Each structure stands twice: as C-alpha cells, then as structure tokens.
C-alpha cells in the first residue's frame, strides 16, 4: 500500500469530498475559506497523482484512505 503523506486536514477534506460535499460546503463545515479548501485540494491532487475530483475520490475509496 502506497503512503501518500496526506495531512490530517487533507484527509478531513478528502473525506468530506468523498461524502459528496462541495468545496463551499466543506469550507462552511470546517470553518475555513473556499480558497483554503481549494488550496488543500490542489495539494491532495499532487500527493495522490490525480487530475480531477473524481479521480481523487475513486483513489481514496479504492485505497481506503478515508
């Protein structure tokens, strides 16, 4: 199993996205700005080596990251 070194916050955000929440909903729930969510998601994409939300969610589920 590959280790992606996602931070606790990145895993939190990824978990919310896997649950189908929008960036705006994630921002509201975690009490952070939309821009901050967007930045975390870009870093998640880099660490998971994906290019879309669908790919990130699929990889998170397949590899049981969340």
């Amino acid at each position: 199993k590959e280790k992606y070194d996602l931070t606790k916050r990145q895993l939190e955000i990824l978990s919310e996205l896997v649950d189908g929440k929008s960036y705006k909903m994630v921002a509201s729930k975690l009490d952070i700005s939309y821009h901050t969510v967007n930045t975390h998601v870009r870093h998640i994409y880099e660490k998971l080596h994906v290019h879309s939300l669908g790919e990130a969610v699929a990889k998170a589920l397949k590899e049981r990251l969340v």
Side-chain angles (χ1 to χ4, degrees):
K1 185 174 173 178
E2 197 170 340
K3 189 158 171 37
Y4 297 104
D5 290 326
L6 293 172
T7 65
K8 184 179 175 203
R9 185 57 120 184
Q10 289 168 345
L11 287 169
E12 225 175 344
I13 290 170
L14 187 55
S15 177
E16 295 296 327
L17 296 172
V18 165
D19 287 343
K21 295 193 174 66
S22 68
Y23 288 15
K24 204 171 186 179
M25 292 165 74
V26 173
S28 177
K29 180 171 181 185
L30 300 179
D31 199 29
I32 56 178
S33 74
Y34 175 90
H35 178 72
T36 302
V37 172
N38 199 30
T39 301
H40 279 300
V41 170
R42 275 201 330 269
H43 294 143
I44 291 167
Y45 285 10
E46 288 171 15
K47 289 180 176 184
L48 296 182
H49 310 291
V50 297
H51 299 95
S52 72
L53 182 59
E55 285 181 283
V57 167
K59 192 168 224 176
L61 292 172
K62 183 180 176 195
E63 308 223 0
R64 298 184 180 166
L65 300 175
V66 293

